[in-house]
């Protein structure tokens, strides 16, 4: 049961209304005003597994972090409960869930309503996995 809750922590819908200045892809702390705070916490090179799935009304970019990143994710989420950890790509905040508890599973899912956006997120993370 805990694994399911931890997995759901990083699931949220795509949002195209925010465009911070930072163009780098990755996971960042996000302010309550939906602004990127500080440096990248996790990036595409921290992704170990990645796939894309579709359902009736959504496209899910799902994956798992590398073993090293999973350890860092557990520590980071434990120390930042109540804060927002968002995924940013090309300067756009794609997803911004609130950290509710420690995540030791290392899984993530980014849900998009548009196939083109899900494909863009998938390709950006796949590039890191392939070390391109």
């Amino acid at each position: 049961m805990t694994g399911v809750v931890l997995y759901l922590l990083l699931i949220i819908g795509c949002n195209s209304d925010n465009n911070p200045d930072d163009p780098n892809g990755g996971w960042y702390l996000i302010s309550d005003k939906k602004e990127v705070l500080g440096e990248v916490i996790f990036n595409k090179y921290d992704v170990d597994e990645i796939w894309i799935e579709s359902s009736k009304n959504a496209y899910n970019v799902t994956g798992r972090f590398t073993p090293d990143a999973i350890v860092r994710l557990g520590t980071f989420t434990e120390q930042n409960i109540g804060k927002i950890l968002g995924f940013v790509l090309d300067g756009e905040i794609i997803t911004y869930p609130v950290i509710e508890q420690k995540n030791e599973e290392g899984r993530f899912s980014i849900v998009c309503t548009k196939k083109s956006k899900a494909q863009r997120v998938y390709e950006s993370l796949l590039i890191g996995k392939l070390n391109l």
Side-chain angles (χ1 to χ4, degrees), residues 50-53 59-63 108-111 118 121-122 125:
I50 182 89
W51 60 94
I52 189 168
E53 303 170 323
Y59 300 89
N60 304 307
V61 180
T62 306
F108 63 87
S109 183
I110 301 168
V111 181
V121 169
Y122 171 78
L125 294 173

Side-chain angles (χ1 to χ4, degrees), residues 64-76:
R64 184 176 175 94
F65 289 108
T66 63
D68 175 63
I70 291 171
V71 171
R72 290 187 291 120
L73 179 67
T75 301
F76 179 83

